[in-house]
Structures are given as C-alpha cells and as structure tokens.
Amino acid sequence: MEENKRDSWGSNFGFLLAAVGSAVGLGNIWGFPYKMGKNGGGAFLIIYLALIVIVGLAVMLGELVIGRKTGMGPVGAYKKLSKKYALVGYMGLLSGFLILSFYSVLGGMVGKYMISFLISMLSGGSTFNNLTSAEFFSNFTINGWEMLIYCFLFLLATTFIVMKGISNGIEKFTKVAMPALAVLLIVIITFVLCQDGAVEGLKFMFKPDFSVYSSSSDIGFFTVLKTAAGQMFFSLSLGMGCMITYGSYLKKNTNLEKNAIIIPIADTFVAIMAGMVVMPAVFAYGLEPSAGPSLLFISLHEVFVTGMGGFIGSLMGFLFYLLVFIAAITSSISLLEVCSSFINDKKQEEHKKTNRKLPTIIISLMVFVIGVPVALDGLGSSNAIINFQPFGYCWLDFYDLISEGILMPIGALIMSLIIGWGFKTKIIKTEIEEGGLYKLKGFVFWDICFKIIVPITMLIILYAQFQDFGIIK
Ligand code: TRP
C-alpha cells in the first residue's frame, strides 16, 4: 500500500542534523549555564560529563535501536516489543504533551523578544519605551492574551514544519536552521567574549567548587547529581521517546552506534558554547547570574538594552534571540513529531490510510489547550489571570517536574531493564548488525550500562526527586 509507506530521512547526515537540532534547545542555552553556575561550576560539569558517558550514551543508543527496529514512535514501539510494555510508551507520550506545551509558551516568549529587538533595531530603540528589563518582562508575562498569541504563533510554525513530513519538512528545515545556528553562535560568542569583564562569567561557570558535594553545603552531592541528570535527559531529548521516533525513520544502512555518540558530543559542545555566551554577557554588565526564566529574559535583555545599548545592542539582541528561537523550533518539532506520529502508528497497525496533516493539527491544538495555564499564570506572578498553583509550583515547573522529574527517569529505568535484562542487550547487537554493514564495537560497555549503571542511577535520581516532593524522607 503506497500511502502507508513510512517516511524516512533522506540521509544519515540529515538525520544527525535533525537529532542534534532536537537536542540543542532552550535546555542548552538557558538551563545549562545557570544550573552549572549554581551547582558548583566545574564540579557540576564533571558529573554532567560522567553521566553522559555512563548513562546518556546508552539511553541514546537504546532509544535509536528500539525506534529503528520497530519503525514506530514510543507507544507503537514498546507495544511491538511486548504488549506489557505499552505503558512505558504512553508515559513518554504524556511527557511529550507536557513538555511541548510549556516549551511553546517559552518559545513564544523568545519570539516576542526577537521581534521586539528587530523593531528596536529598525526604529532606533523605541520599542522598550523606557521600561526597565524587569518591567518589560512582567508587563508581557502577565498579559495573558499576548502570551497566548505568541505561544500560538510558535506552535503554528512548529506544526507547519511537522505537517510537511520527515524528509520534506523536518530534515529540510534543520538543514538550513542548524548551519544558521552555528554561524550565529560563533558571531555572538566572539562579540561577547570581547567585552570587558567577560572572563568573570567564564570563571563563574567553570571554576570548580567541590565543596558543593559535601553534605554540609546547602547543595549537596545528590542535588548536584539529580540536577545534572535531569538536565542531561532534557538536553539530549531522552527518556520520552523522541529519539525512538527519530530513529524509526532511519534506514537499515546507518551506523547507530556512531550516531549515538555523535549526538551527545554535539549537544554538549553547543551547551558549553552557549554558556560561554550567556554567563560572560551577564557578568560583563554586572548582573546577577540568577536562575530561571529571568536569566534568559530579564538579565540578557538588560545586557543588550542597557549594557551594550544603541543600535549594536539591538542588533546583538535580535541575533541572540533569533539563535534561541531557531534552537527552540528545531526542538519543538521533534516533540510534536512524537505526539503526532502516535496517531499514524495506530492507523498503520489497523491497516488504515495514514495522513500527516490532520493528526498534526489536532495534536497541536491539544498541546495549545494544555499550555493555556502555563501561558496565563504569568510564570507564577500573583498579578496573573490564573492564580492557582498546583502544589505551590507555577504551571511550567509543575509540568516540568512531572515529565522531567518523574516520567522520564522512570521511562529510562524501564527501558534499560527491558534491554539489559529482558533482551540481554542482544537486541542492540542484532539491530546494529542488521544491514550487515556494521559490527557492534562496545558490547560489554553497553551491557554493563543497561544492566547495572543506568538502572541504579535512575533509582538514585528518583529517590532524590521523591525526597524533594516530601513523599519519602
Ligand atoms: N532537548 C531540547 C532542549 O534542550 C528539548 C527537547 C526536545 C526535549 N525534545 C525533547 C526534552 C524530548 C525532553 C524530551 O531544549
């Protein structure tokens, strides 16, 4: 049946660009630098890198293998492995909805900043009307309608790309977007590092403060470990089936083992580069490297408007938010693809005709609706339209905790148990050697990761997470 032929990547390089595009996003540019800065700098980086090697690589490989083997998104894929695993797929799907809904709100905000700087650049700095950066931010975030409109536009752009399909939409877009992102990053990093005082930012980011590991510090080893692990999963797009879905469009003649190593290296490289933009910029202009959305929006806004100022400030501001916008879109398309492939996988199972457009539109609308509270609670501001905060968290943090904090580590835990103990890691070997072109090189390493290291790390993280919630002492 021609209409049921599954789309696929045009080339392995196209796949790599798209997968790196999925990985590189707000997590790298905004989450990574401030989490690193707050959790011991170099001391955090060491744990982060170690976690990538002993957990991230294996989970990445596991997801790619499951995807290519089954040729389906997470729900269909786990079902195909065994009916009893279907729940893991559904958990991934739920995470996808939650993450995409808050991601779109943030993406929309980035869009607003990008447009404001463009207008400011063209009109000689009049868009910010003497508002301070904090006022500009709070005026915007408590304006529910504006938040909703920008979120909607961001989702619309995402939907438009995903609707066009894998090779014609996602791959085509990332082939332009990723090189553009690289060029922008180089331009901005060069400019920022030339500012006086930039070195202080690098010191803040990289200076190892090993005292954070000690139990007498107010951070502690487990918090560093948990933060690094959560950040790693989020940044590599792991734990909810994103890489399963992207892997499902790979042809059998691709080297999965190599791909599983290239994507994390590229992602980490960009995270460190992005950190070297954000932190030096913040320090060069004497601002606080404080956490949360305020870093990306208030502090950096101030850097461009007040610190650099004038035309150059607006130009750099525009280029910076354009970079963040591109990074966010190449990630949101991967999240939407996970959710909307679910419908077509289902149809394929039932031997019904598949169609890309309608399911993608329906899923985006659902995501938009789920994101409404995130857009309307002013990120936790008391002046916002929605004042109710679940368990005392603002809606963005709440969605993030359910997905990144709970569902994704559980998903990765079960996946590694299935691969390591259920399939004795043989599933990895068979799938990699499937086309007869490649031999699996690191069987023993992967075997130990899946059987022991990943499950134990996930259990520790879940323990620390539940402790945070006050569920266990
Ligand atoms: N990795 C992206 C970032 O760093 C976000 C992202 C895309 C993601 N797809 C994902 C996070 C799947 C978790 C799961 O911003």
Side-chain angles (χ1 to χ4, degrees), residues 100 103-104 154 158 162 327-337:
L100 184 55
Y103 213 84
S104 308
F154 182 85
T158 306
V162 172
I329 284 259
T330 54
S331 299
S332 64
I333 51 182
S334 71
L335 287 159
L336 182 58
E337 179 58 33

Side-chain angles (χ1 to χ4, degrees), residues 22-23 25-28 99 103 234-235 237 240 242 331 334-335 408:
S22 164
L26 296 171
N28 303 56
I99 296 176
Y103 213 84
F234 192 84
S235 189
S237 306
M240 50 79 60
C242 218
S331 299
S334 71
L335 287 159
M408 282 155 53

Side-chain angles (χ1 to χ4, degrees), residues 34-64:
Y34 88 75
K35 285 184 189 162
M36 187 166 156
K38 277 189 72 175
N39 288 276
F44 175 90
L45 185 62
I46 292 170
I47 297 198
Y48 184 82
L49 293 178
L51 279 173
I52 288 194
V53 175
I54 60 175
V55 177
L57 295 181
V59 177
M60 177 67 74
L61 181 65
E63 289 206 8
L64 292 178

Side-chain angles (χ1 to χ4, degrees), residues 55-70 77-78 81-82 84-85 88 233 238-239 241 243-244 256 260 410-432 440 442-455:
V55 177
L57 295 181
V59 177
M60 177 67 74
L61 181 65
E63 289 206 8
L64 292 178
V65 162
I66 290 180
R68 196 180 73 175
K69 180 177 172 63
T70 57
Y78 279 107
L81 292 182
S82 163
K84 58 181 192 269
Y85 300 149
V88 194
F233 269 83
L238 293 177
M243 292 299 165
I244 295 183
L256 294 180
I410 295 182
L413 171 66
I414 303 181
M415 185 193 83
S416 60
L417 293 176
I418 293 175
I419 292 181
W421 297 99
F423 289 96
K424 312 272 178 248
T425 318
K426 294 222 175 61
I427 185 176
I428 301 279
K429 189 170 165 61
T430 345
E431 184 58 27
I432 284 184
L440 179 68
F443 183 82
V444 178
F445 172 73
W446 302 120
D447 198 36
I448 298 174
C449 289
F450 285 118
K451 285 204 173 99
I452 301 166
I453 303 178
V454 179

